[in-house]
Amino acid sequence: MNRSKRIGDAVSAVGICLNFLLASAKIIFGALFGFVSIVADGVNNLSDMGSGIVSIVSFRIAAKPADKEHPYGHQRAEYIASMFIGFSVLLIAFELLRESIEKVIAWETAGVSVWAFVLLAVSVGVKAVMFVIYRVAAKKISSDVLSASAVDSLSDCIATTAVIVGMLISRYAGVPFDGIAGLIVVAFILFEGIGIVKKASSRLLGQAPDPELIGKVKEILLAGEGVLGVHDLKLFRFGPQKFFGTAHIEMDAKLSSDITHGRIDFLERKVLAETQVELTAHFDPVDPSDEEAKELEERIRAAAEGMYDGLDLHDFRLVRGEKKKIVFEAGVPFALKAKDCEVAAALVSAVRLLTDAEAVVTVERE
């Protein structure tokens, strides 16, 4: 986190300085020559400068270590900062929308200076460079705040280009396109603000991690010594670089508890070292020599194949007593429209056709 803070602070500081220079030049020039689209573009740069300040503050908070009140750390401060940036962008967009509409209604043509084109062309170049800087830094430290700033810079490039087109139309066609260009800029700003707020709020609500990370953790576990299967793998995000997870690992029930514990403990450390996920694994005992249980599992899997898209059966256990029970879990996608009780009932019915053992099915969304 200290490395992330240093990179984040440096990149944000550069962004603050550049955005301040761009905002000052555009707002002054636009006000002097009566171009609301240039003023709108400048105010957008001013908001970007404020976003950079928020970013620096968020990096400082996120770098704080875990404490009694926040045992999982402070990295989610970046998500709050991203939402603040998004709401700020939206507030500015609505104000600029009002000004642009007034300009369209007035339908007046303003004089265009060659220096205006020079200023805006330089702005596009500076914003393109800032996009690259933010994008590279965001990937290096997995920062949502810098990623949002990268998207912001790219949108600014497009928006400023729209202003240039509007000025060219005003200069050579005599059409008062300035207000319309302002509306185009506002549209980009609104799209950008909504996207930032949506992404940050999704992360705060507990958005699922990237499938690549889940696949990497599962790959490490399945490659572990003596591992027969892995299921119920769940990852929880507490920041851009802070993940916790739980998993059920199937291993031979006949192994001693010391050996089993040692192997699982090794896998937990390996996952942390290679993925930065702090994993807590649960041991599920499996008896590979129980031919009756294995045969029954294979028959149930074959009967359930194609029953539902994404159906994953696991954690089979044959319990012998007065009445045999076959206990297993069924993982289904969140997108599956069928209710959990319907899935369980369908599987119980399928088992009844195969054996007189009572089926005990637990359905889980994955």
Side-chain angles (χ1 to χ4, degrees):
M1 282 306 298
N2 288 330
R3 173 175 173 271
S4 298
K5 176 181 172 296
R6 288 195 301 271
I7 294 175
D9 285 352
V11 172
S12 297
V14 171
I16 289 171
C17 294
L18 292 177
N19 278 311
F20 176 75
L21 293 174
L22 289 176
S24 300
K26 289 179 184 177
I27 292 173
I28 293 172
F29 194 94
L32 288 175
F33 291 92
F35 266 90
V36 68
S37 56
I38 296 181
V39 173
D41 208 29
V43 173
N44 184 33
N45 294 145
L46 197 63
S47 74
D48 295 342
M49 185 187 75
S51 299
I53 296 173
V54 173
S55 298
I56 290 178
V57 174
S58 74
F59 283 124
R60 292 185 180 276
I61 296 175
K64 293 173 62 178
D67 54 36
K68 183 178 179 180
E69 294 182 348
H70 307 91
Y72 302 110
H74 299 77
Q75 289 193 29
R76 280 185 173 176
E78 283 202 37
Y79 303 152
I80 297 174
S82 295
M83 290 193 70
F84 180 84
I85 292 172
F87 283 125
S88 299
V89 168
L90 291 176
L91 287 173
I92 291 171
F94 284 118
E95 176 60 24
L96 295 178
L97 176 63
R98 181 186 63 79
E99 294 181 11
S100 297
I101 291 174
E102 290 176 355
K103 195 77 173 182
V104 171
I105 293 174
W107 204 246
E108 297 175 352
T109 304
V112 183
S113 168
V114 174
W115 289 108
F117 292 108
V118 174
L119 172 63
L120 295 178
V122 170
S123 176
V124 171
V126 171
K127 279 294 183 177
V129 172
M130 290 174 65
F131 165 74
V132 174
I133 293 174
Y134 281 132
R135 187 71 177 270
V136 172
K139 287 186 175 181
K140 183 172 291 187
I141 64 175
S142 301
S143 170
D144 279 7
V145 172
L146 294 183
S147 179
S149 297
V151 173
D152 183 18
S153 297
L154 182 60
S155 297
D156 288 347
C157 287
I158 299 173
T160 303
T161 301
V163 175
I164 294 174
V165 172
M167 290 174 59
L168 287 171
I169 294 175
S170 296
R171 181 183 177 93
Y172 296 105
V175 178
F177 200 74
D178 180 43
I180 296 176
L183 290 175
I184 295 173
V185 174
V186 169
F188 278 109
I189 297 174
L190 282 172
F191 179 79
E192 168 195 320
I194 292 171
I196 293 172
V197 172
K198 183 179 179 181
K199 181 178 180 180
S201 59
S202 180
R203 292 286 175 85
L204 280 173
L205 289 172
Q207 181 183 14
D210 296 331
E212 291 81 6
L213 178 61
I214 297 174
K216 177 63 177 176
V217 173
K218 194 167 186 177
E219 178 184 340
I220 293 172
L221 296 178
L222 287 172
E225 183 180 1
V227 175
L228 302 176
V230 174
H231 59 270
D232 288 345
L233 174 60
K234 298 177 182 178
L235 301 185
F236 313 94
R237 184 196 299 268
F238 279 86
Q241 303 174 49
K242 194 71 172 179
F243 291 91
F244 293 88
T246 59
H248 288 211
I249 299 178
E250 299 175 2
M251 301 184 76
D252 193 335
K254 294 179 180 178
L255 290 174
S256 70
S257 58
D258 286 344
I259 293 176
T260 301
H261 175 269
R263 290 178 178 178
I264 291 179
D265 192 54
F266 170 79
L267 288 173
E268 290 174 340
R269 292 196 304 271
K270 186 176 176 64
V271 167
L272 178 62
E274 296 187 18
T275 68
Q276 305 304 309
V277 174
E278 296 185 30
L279 184 72
T280 300
H282 169 78
F283 165 52
D284 275 345
V286 176
D287 185 0
S289 64
D290 191 338
E291 296 297 332
E292 181 183 6
K294 287 172 61 178
E295 181 186 357
L296 189 53
E297 177 183 344
E298 291 173 0
R299 292 171 63 194
I300 292 174
R301 287 186 181 279
E305 187 175 355
M307 188 177 290
Y308 297 103
D309 290 336
L311 178 64
D312 176 33
L313 304 183
H314 52 255
D315 208 10
F316 281 86
R317 288 186 294 117
L318 182 59
V319 181
R320 296 176 175 86
E322 246 180 70
K323 183 174 179 59
K324 286 184 182 178
K325 292 183 179 180
I326 181 69
V327 182
F328 61 93
E329 297 178 3
V332 294
F334 283 101
L336 185 67
K337 293 183 178 179
K339 296 180 180 179
D340 291 358
C341 58
E342 295 174 354
V343 175
L347 289 170
V348 169
S349 297
V351 172
R352 283 176 183 163
L353 298 175
L354 301 174
T355 177
D356 58 355
E358 179 184 347
V360 179
V361 184
T362 301
V363 178
E364 297 178 337
R365 295 281 168 168
E366 300 177 341

